[in-house]
Amino acid sequence: MQQIKRQLRFVRLLHKGGAVEQCGQLMRVVVGQEKASLEEHVVKALKSQGVLCIQNGALATTTEAPHWMRRQKLWLADPNQTAPIVSNAKRSGKQLPIIGNGQLNRLCKSGGKQGGLLTQDHILTASRLERLIERAMLTPQITRDYQQLSQTLGQSRGSGQADISDMAADARKELSQLYDQLPPDCINALVDLCGFGKGLQDVEASRNWPRRSAKLVAKIGLDQLGAIWGIGELATPNHLRRNGSR
């Protein structure tokens, strides 16, 4: 938790326009009387996630930094509630990552003899999608409709997108392929839930869906996405048929 706080403080000060200086093996950002430092390898990791970038030769935050900070704040505010802590929500004794605002994680908790609606493989699939969206450096406005997103995902550095990195361009290409492979309702809902931390009710309200339908759409989408990526039990050929026959 302390490491998350350090990262959040560093990104917050940098987002406020703080100046960055090298201090031995640390990178320090200063805004007025406030200071925050991180190790170089941590800064590099944040860059690979699309949270930080280099602009005009200086370290800066990306457009996705505010969404990243919001997710960290949600987890810090109530880590016990949003983190899956029961045995069927862990892999190799390690706690699963928090997805979006944590609602998908809560669907993974045990609700009876058959467990929750989602499994740990669903959460790992959602986490991979979340990282992919972060690397693609998209904004919620871009993903408002499929047509606009398709146009954006089809762009590259050579088509007027000189401000995006090769990493972001590759991530957009991979995400574009997922839009061709998954039903539009499923992938659009997953992007909202995993990429931008929207709640299930928000997804339903924005699409005029019935109550409790978003979690079912999310499960269907994660079933198919996990099969595409070959994640755990979701990769087995009979997974969808087995779940449908319960």
Side-chain angles (χ1 to χ4, degrees), residues 2-240:
Q2 188 61 35
Q3 179 66 10
I4 295 297
K5 290 181 178 180
R6 291 182 62 217
Q7 294 180 27
L8 183 58
R9 181 178 176 84
F10 185 94
V11 174
R12 178 178 62 81
L13 293 181
L14 186 60
H15 194 65
K16 291 172 63 176
V20 179
E21 56 186 26
Q22 190 79 34
C23 300
Q25 298 299 317
L26 297 176
M27 298 190 71
R28 177 181 296 169
V29 59
V30 181
V31 176
Q33 299 298 317
E34 294 186 275
K35 299 179 182 180
S37 300
L38 284 179
E39 295 79 5
E40 288 188 31
H41 73 274
V42 178
V43 173
K44 183 178 180 180
L46 290 172
K47 288 168 62 179
S48 69
Q49 296 173 27
V51 180
L52 304 180
C53 65
I54 300 296
Q55 290 184 354
N56 300 322
L59 189 66
T61 56
T62 68
T63 55
E64 292 310 304
H67 305 292
W68 179 88
M69 287 189 287
R70 181 172 179 267
R71 289 195 297 273
Q72 311 315 306
K73 290 177 181 178
L74 285 169
W75 185 82
L76 289 172
D78 195 350
N80 292 326
Q81 182 178 3
T82 58
I85 58 177
V86 294
S87 58
N88 76 322
K90 292 184 179 181
R91 179 181 290 273
S92 301
K94 295 183 179 180
Q95 199 170 74
L96 293 173
I98 305 300
I99 310 302
N101 68 0
Q103 288 192 355
L104 291 181
N105 293 87
R106 289 192 285 276
L107 293 178
C108 185
K109 290 185 177 182
S110 176
K113 293 182 179 180
Q114 295 183 348
L117 178 67
L118 303 182
T119 68
Q120 59 183 6
D121 289 327
H122 288 114
I123 300 302
L124 294 175
T125 301
S127 177
R128 178 168 170 177
L129 177 61
E130 182 180 53
R131 295 195 304 270
L132 177 63
I133 296 170
E134 288 179 346
R135 293 199 307 273
M137 297 176 62
L138 298 175
T139 65
Q141 288 74 21
I142 288 177
T143 62
R144 187 165 296 167
D145 63 85
Y146 175 65
Q147 183 178 4
Q148 184 183 6
L149 179 59
S150 297
Q151 294 172 353
T152 302
L153 292 177
Q155 294 174 344
S156 65
R157 291 175 66 91
S159 59
Q161 290 292 309
D163 58 327
I164 69 172
S165 65
D166 290 335
M167 176 192 67
D170 291 341
R172 291 186 181 190
K173 181 179 180 180
E174 183 177 352
L175 190 57
S176 177
Q177 293 172 346
L178 294 180
Y179 266 85
D180 293 332
Q181 295 174 286
L182 271 67
D185 281 344
C186 291
I187 184 62
N188 283 323
L190 288 177
V191 167
D192 280 344
L193 293 167
C194 302
F196 305 115
K198 292 187 179 180
L200 293 166
Q201 292 183 355
D202 293 332
V203 170
E204 293 166 353
S206 64
R207 293 166 170 79
N208 293 319
W209 287 354
R211 291 184 59 187
R212 301 183 178 85
S213 59
K215 62 182 181 181
L216 298 178
V217 173
K219 182 182 184 301
I220 294 172
L222 291 173
D223 279 339
Q224 298 187 29
L225 189 55
I228 292 172
W229 282 337
I231 295 179
E233 292 186 356
L234 301 180
T236 59
N238 295 325
H239 175 77
L240 294 178

